[in-house]
Amino acid sequence: MNGDGSGLARRLRELRDGHWPEVRVTQAQLREAFAVSVPLISSWESAHTAKVPPLPRLEKYAAFFATRRSIANGRARVLPLSDLTPDEVTAYHELLDELTRLRKEALRTLADGEGAKPAQAGETFLKGPWHFPRGESITIICSQIPEEHRARIPYADPTRPDYIELYKYSDLDSLFELWGHLRAANPHSPLTLRATEDLRSSDDLTTHVVLLGGVDYNEVTQAMLEQIELPVRQVPDWEGEKGPYFEVDEGGDTRRHYTVTSGSGDNLQLLEDVGFFYRGVNPENVERTLTICNGMYARGVYGTVRALTDKHFRDRNAGYLRDRFGDAASYSILTRVRIVGRVAVTPDWARESFRLHEWPEPANGD
């Protein structure tokens, strides 16, 4: 990016500092109107970062600065377009067209790498949803194999000379994949692994928490889901006619998403699992995040994890999350995870066929 910042960053600063000559809008007022953080607004205005706001945020900028009524009575707010006068609607469209053009130029500049320094080794890990602020602790809480199943695994017996503690975890593929990625993406942050039986204090639940596994094998996943309002529920109906499923509330209706299998009993073959990815505020500590990677079977969990760690898809899927959800405080995707032979195929969220459900719904029907 140019040394003096992108045209979009400069224009956003100009709007705030001088759009109304007698009034200077503060970043705190925009925070109030847009329901985002001051650091995020600052990053959009910065001449030294490559943070480009999503289009829905520019729509809010255009609506906010289209009318002085946005700051009337000492309150900052974004008025609905239906409340704007014809002249204000015209101003809104003119400003949105300008900001959209500047956004395209900023994205083109980033894509071309103009003024960028050569990428350092591991730099790609410092982007995307799995990178957290430097020094902030991260805790993986992994589902665990029930004791009656562990009793049949010699290496899972702590009294045996060859005891291996990891045998108690039920999602080892996902854990192995995610642990390495989190360590690479957060080299200066403490990373801790816990099973539900290992939770020692509330400190384990007030970090950036990552939950691996479903409600049947991970008690913490169940407890956390009960504290957050989601239109998606995991129903472990293993004895049901069609087996377990995810249930989704959509427009007053309830829809079920089942796995796809062939055969039965000992010959049951999984052809397609259902995976679930959620990112939101940690209900035990609003200054930290909660992430859930879930599935009906272990390969659904693994496919969900791989969506943001697989080198061929992680950037594309992370980009989709940015474009689709912007800086939403909470969001989720219910995804297909196809199984080919023994391989869980990484879902490509840029393709609609992989996305079974997204929350929150697009604004204004977009």
Side-chain angles (χ1 to χ4, degrees), residues 37 47 49 107 120-121 147 160 180 188 195 252 263 272 292 296:
S37 67
T49 66
L107 291 174
Q120 301 296 317
E147 288 188 12
R160 296 291 187 96
H188 304 290
E272 181 177 293
I292 300 174
M296 294 314 317

Side-chain angles (χ1 to χ4, degrees), residues 141-145 168-171 194-196 211-214 217-218:
I141 302 178
C142 190
S143 58
Q144 61 188 76
I145 298 174
K168 70 183 176 185
Y169 298 105
S170 68
D171 288 288
R194 292 280 187 263
T196 53
L211 301 178
L212 290 181
Y217 279 12
N218 194 328

Side-chain angles (χ1 to χ4, degrees), residues 93-113:
H93 286 295
E94 290 177 351
L95 185 53
L96 180 59
D97 287 345
E98 178 190 5
L99 295 178
T100 301
R101 174 180 55 79
L102 291 172
R103 181 177 186 271
K104 289 179 180 179
E105 292 175 359
L107 291 174
R108 190 180 306 118
T109 298
L110 290 176
D112 293 341

Side-chain angles (χ1 to χ4, degrees), residues 79-270:
L79 295 175
L81 296 186
S82 58
D83 289 354
L84 300 185
T85 67
D87 287 344
E88 290 170 343
V89 170
T90 298
Y92 163 81
H93 286 295
E94 290 177 351
L95 185 53
L96 180 59
D97 287 345
E98 178 190 5
L99 295 178
T100 301
R101 174 180 55 79
L102 291 172
R103 181 177 186 271
K104 289 179 180 179
E105 292 175 359
L107 291 174
R108 190 180 306 118
T109 298
L110 290 176
D112 293 341
E114 179 181 328
K117 297 179 180 179
Q120 301 296 317
E123 183 177 316
T124 185
F125 290 102
L126 303 182
K127 303 175 182 178
W130 289 129
H131 174 64
F132 299 99
R134 182 186 179 102
E136 295 185 356
S137 297
I138 308 160
T139 304
I140 300 176
I141 302 178
C142 190
S143 58
Q144 61 188 76
I145 298 174
E147 288 188 12
E148 62 269 24
H149 295 170
R150 274 186 273 171
R152 299 197 292 267
I153 306 174
Y155 295 132
D157 183 351
T159 66
R160 296 291 187 96
D162 281 332
Y163 168 64
I164 299 174
E165 187 176 7
L166 286 177
Y167 271 109
K168 70 183 176 185
Y169 298 105
S170 68
D171 288 288
L172 282 177
D173 287 347
S174 300
L175 175 58
F176 187 82
E177 175 77 15
L178 186 56
W179 179 274
H181 191 90
L182 282 172
R183 174 56 65 216
N186 305 275
H188 304 290
S189 296
L191 178 59
T192 303
L193 172 62
R194 292 280 187 263
T196 53
E197 66 183 22
D198 298 328
L199 296 176
R200 300 188 179 104
S201 72
S202 63
D203 290 345
D204 292 327
L205 299 173
T206 55
T207 64
H208 293 287
V209 171
V210 181
L211 301 178
L212 290 181
V215 298
D216 43 1
Y217 279 12
N218 194 328
E219 298 173 10
V220 181
T221 300
Q222 178 67 53
M224 289 290 193
L225 286 173
E226 290 175 354
Q227 295 186 68
I228 55 182
E229 295 183 4
L230 282 175
V232 182
R233 293 173 294 279
Q234 183 185 15
V235 183
D237 186 16
W238 298 101
E239 303 302 324
E241 180 180 354
K242 294 184 179 180
Y245 57 90
F246 279 93
E247 187 175 71
V248 176
D249 296 331
E250 291 182 328
D253 296 325
T254 299
R255 183 176 181 184
R256 295 179 176 181
H257 296 278
Y258 291 90
T259 61
V260 179
T261 60
S262 66
S264 60
D266 293 339
N267 296 318
L268 184 69
Q269 181 180 4
L270 182 64

